[in-house]
Amino acid sequence: KLYITNSPFADFMVIVAQTAPGRGLKGMSLFVVERDTPGVRVSAPLKKLGMGASEMAEIVFGGARVPADQRLGSEHLGFVEALKVLSLGRVASAAQGVGLGRAALEEALRYCSQRMQGDAAITGHQFVRFTLADMATRLEAAWRLTLRAARLVDAGSDYDCAASMAKLFATETCTHVCERALHLCGAQGYMRESAAQRFYRDCKVFEIGEGTSEIQRETIFRHLAR
Ligand SMILES: Cc1cc2nc3c(=O)[nH]c(=O)nc-3n(C[C@H](O)[C@H](O)[C@H](O)COP(=O)(O)OP(=O)(O)OC[C@H]3O[C@@H](n4cnc5c(N)ncnc54)[C@H](O)[C@@H]3O)c2cc1C
């Protein structure tokens, strides 16, 4: 299995494996697997575009045998249970998107307020002010969607669709805001020491992990159509 976050130092991993071949998604179960199980190998950390503070690697299960008492949850319903965790993770991804977007907005606001052209800061340009205003407005909308999904989770209500909407909108907003922030920071934003370029490299993964934007749109449509 490729692209597993924290696998370079995890002692335990939770995997979903086929336990009833031929029964599709209703024939899979969750297992806790110890890292030192014979046959389990973790590769060297993979090189990524961003998210330098977290490591990921490939895990190979070469004939690894796992006893039945390491099964988590119900037999054959592991995929369904894993989806519940994924759905909850989508609310967290949305919040991460808002957080990163806010950091990018702050960085752009700081740069634009301090960057002087002649006697005036570049916030004197309408383009700069309007871009910052749009970034803030989109982030606020993303935050409201995130809070709505989180409240449904707290209330024990069905939150799948709300989680997908929040994740879709917040992570795409984050990418947009990080791109605009780098643009507003000009050449300084493009330099390796700038926070803006780091935000720009970090943001994209939120649209990919925990189900890509397309998977969120499929989930939202399924709820519309039922
Ligand atoms: C930094 C990072 C950390 C990760 N950590 C983990 C982890 O800890 N655990 C884990 O299990 N995974 C992890 N992943 C993997 C991640 O969950 C997958 O990359 C993600 O689900 C997308 O799958 P894929 O890469 O196979 O994309 P692909 O399936 O190759 O998709 C490629 C493109 O095609 C589109 N596409 C694919 N299928 C459809 C469809 N049915 N309809 C419409 N469009 C479609 C996708 O949206 C995407 O744009 C991580 C990935 C990254 C980048």
Side-chain angles (χ1 to χ4, degrees), residues 11 16 40 42 57 62 73 84 92 102 172 186 192 224:
D11 293 324
V16 57
V40 172
V42 180
K84 284 187 206 148
R102 283 179 180 166
E172 291 195 348
R192 270 292 170 156
L224 287 179

Side-chain angles (χ1 to χ4, degrees), residues 1-6 48 50-51 54 56 86 205 207-215 218:
K1 176 70 181 78
L2 271 164
Y3 314 131
I4 303 300
T5 303
N6 290 340
K48 308 191 266 27
M51 289 293 166
S54 99
M56 58 137 65
L86 261 187
V205 70
E207 285 182 70
I208 297 172
E210 310 265 354
T212 60
S213 291
E214 290 65 49
I215 300 305
E218 291 288 8

Side-chain angles (χ1 to χ4, degrees), residues 201-221:
R201 287 185 294 106
D202 284 349
C203 66
K204 189 64 193 175
V205 70
F206 295 138
E207 285 182 70
I208 297 172
E210 310 265 354
T212 60
S213 291
E214 290 65 49
I215 300 305
Q216 310 313 321
R217 289 187 171 94
E218 291 288 8
T219 303
I220 295 163
F221 179 76

Side-chain angles (χ1 to χ4, degrees), residues 59-204:
I59 305 174
V60 177
F61 300 92
R65 297 190 68 80
V66 179
D69 65 4
Q70 285 180 212
R71 195 186 74 227
L72 273 184
S74 321
E75 192 174 20
H76 308 320
L77 290 180
F79 188 79
V80 180
E81 282 158 359
L83 275 189
K84 284 187 206 148
V85 176
L86 261 187
S87 199
L88 195 56
R90 285 170 186 166
V91 185
S93 290
Q96 283 181 299
V98 173
L100 181 56
R102 283 179 180 166
L105 172 62
E106 275 171 29
E107 178 63 13
L109 185 58
R110 184 195 62 75
Y111 177 83
C112 295
S113 306
Q114 292 173 0
R115 166 79 169 127
M116 304 298 284
Q117 270 177 2
D119 291 337
I122 56 172
T123 44
H125 298 298
Q126 188 185 61
F127 161 73
V128 172
R129 293 196 304 276
F130 281 15
T131 303
L132 290 165
D134 285 347
M135 289 157 72
T137 304
R138 288 189 192 209
L139 283 170
E140 185 62 24
W143 181 232
R144 297 287 146 190
L145 277 177
T146 306
L147 285 180
R148 177 172 165 263
R151 286 193 181 113
L152 289 173
V153 174
D154 281 350
S157 309
D158 181 2
Y159 60 85
D160 280 355
C161 183
S164 285
M165 284 180 170
K167 202 258 182 192
L168 172 66
F169 189 78
T171 59
E172 291 195 348
T173 294
C174 177
T175 299
H176 172 80
V177 165
C178 289
E179 188 277 334
R180 287 291 82 189
L182 193 153
H183 190 76
L184 287 176
C185 291
Q188 194 190 89
Y190 196 71
M191 297 299 111
R192 270 292 170 156
E193 68 268 18
S194 96
Q197 61 78 31
R198 178 163 54 82
F199 299 151
Y200 184 68
R201 287 185 294 106
D202 284 349
C203 66
K204 189 64 193 175

